[in-house]
Amino acid sequence: MTDSSQTGVVRADRPHHTVVPGPVTPGRVVLYAVMTTVWGSSFFFTALALDAFTPFQIVFIRMLLATVILAGVVAVIRPRWPRSARLWAHFVLLGLISIALPYTLLTWAQVWVNSSTAIVLSSTTPIFVFLIATLGLRTEVFGIGRMLAVTLAFAGVVVLTLGAPAGSNSLFWSAIIVVTSANYAVANVYTKRFVSQLHPLLTALLQLGFGTLWLAPVLLITGDWRLPTEVGWPSLLAVLELGVLGSAFGYVMFFYFIATWGSTITSLNTYLQPLVGIALGVLVLAERPGWQAWAGMGIVLAGVALFGVSTLRPDRPLSRQAADRAAG
């Protein structure tokens, strides 16, 4: 959950019934800021957790904690569970492509890529969702603003990834982070297409649960089921934060705001998270990106921000010929 990541579970771009936005009270604004900060700090806490735990351990513990907590929430609200084998099969697959695989790759990437760069590269997920809807499903159309935003964002990705030292692993893992953003987008579209009829918190629970099950045999095979004998408090608290706040609390709050304010306003947190992640990386972790990295991050964020603005207000469409060329 980006974590943009946020997570590969149901995102703000899924079609819900029309929501009349509720009042914007001070309490809700504070809660929204907390949710945005929690998700924006995920890469920061992952960096702390990596000081003691392996990537597989971090992802497994995080998802296990979130699954247990969401199971309690779902037990209270008592939604209707899937009754067909086909729906359960979809969730088995989603547990792999939306949870186990992308979260593990993102966590591994942070061994080589600093948290500031990682969160900026991950912020491109909404753009990939749009590209899939436009070029694949043909359910969206390019407008001038979105076309410029996509071009700008990917230009920034090129600048940011090529700013890595020659021959370093960070270049490869930066590219992997971009791939996981596309992976999340595929998972979002898949979720919307095949399991959107279920309660969103149940959808989140089942994806997290099956993602945890996918990771269990990996821990046994790699030997990572043996936890480190010495774990500092920062690393331990970081893993707990990722599971309890970053995953369970984050999902509950996300769907609360979807129901209260609607998906459009709620989705704004996607564009605010990188600011939190960069601030924590630079001010707390003392990360010092070079000038090319700063330039790349700035270009990506400008593209993502422009994409957000173009999504929130009507975008003048391209001519028919230009739209056909953009869609291939």
Side-chain angles (χ1 to χ4, degrees), residues 82-248:
R83 298 187 178 182
S84 71
R86 177 174 296 179
L87 272 178
W88 283 102
H90 286 315
F91 280 113
V92 171
L93 178 59
L94 282 168
L96 176 64
I97 67 172
S98 72
I99 301 295
L101 181 61
Y103 272 98
T104 300
L105 288 175
L106 271 179
T107 307
W108 269 108
Q110 279 200 251
V111 175
W112 308 101
V113 180
N114 64 47
S115 64
S116 303
T117 300
I119 194 169
V120 171
L121 291 174
S122 290
S123 69
T124 56
T125 295
I127 294 177
F128 280 111
V129 173
F130 169 71
L131 289 176
I132 293 172
T134 303
L135 305 179
L137 303 178
R138 302 297 178 99
T139 57
E140 294 275 1
V141 295
F142 270 107
I144 295 175
R146 284 178 167 182
M147 173 68 84
L148 179 59
V150 170
T151 304
L152 197 60
F154 283 111
V157 167
V158 172
V159 173
L160 188 54
T161 54
L162 294 183
S168 70
N169 288 320
S170 59
L171 175 59
F172 170 78
W173 285 106
S174 293
I176 289 296
I177 294 174
V178 178
V179 171
T180 62
S181 293
N183 182 104
Y184 281 132
V186 171
N188 288 339
V189 173
Y190 188 97
T191 300
K192 169 184 169 183
R193 192 176 183 90
F194 294 109
V195 298
S196 61
Q197 66 269 40
L198 298 178
H199 192 286
L201 282 178
L202 179 59
T203 299
L205 169 64
L206 292 176
Q207 291 190 49
L208 288 166
F210 280 111
T212 305
L213 291 176
W214 275 106
L215 288 166
V218 176
L219 289 177
L220 295 175
I221 294 171
T222 61
D224 282 354
W225 59 272
R226 301 183 185 89
L227 295 177
T229 55
E230 295 183 6
V231 179
W233 279 108
S235 296
L236 180 60
L237 293 175
V239 171
L240 293 176
E241 191 281 340
L242 289 169
V244 176
L245 297 180
S247 295

Side-chain angles (χ1 to χ4, degrees), residues 259-280:
T260 304
W261 285 351
S263 62
T264 300
I265 298 177
T266 303
S267 66
L268 289 175
N269 81 91
T270 302
Y271 310 108
L272 299 174
Q273 290 172 32
L275 303 179
V276 177
I278 292 172
L280 288 172

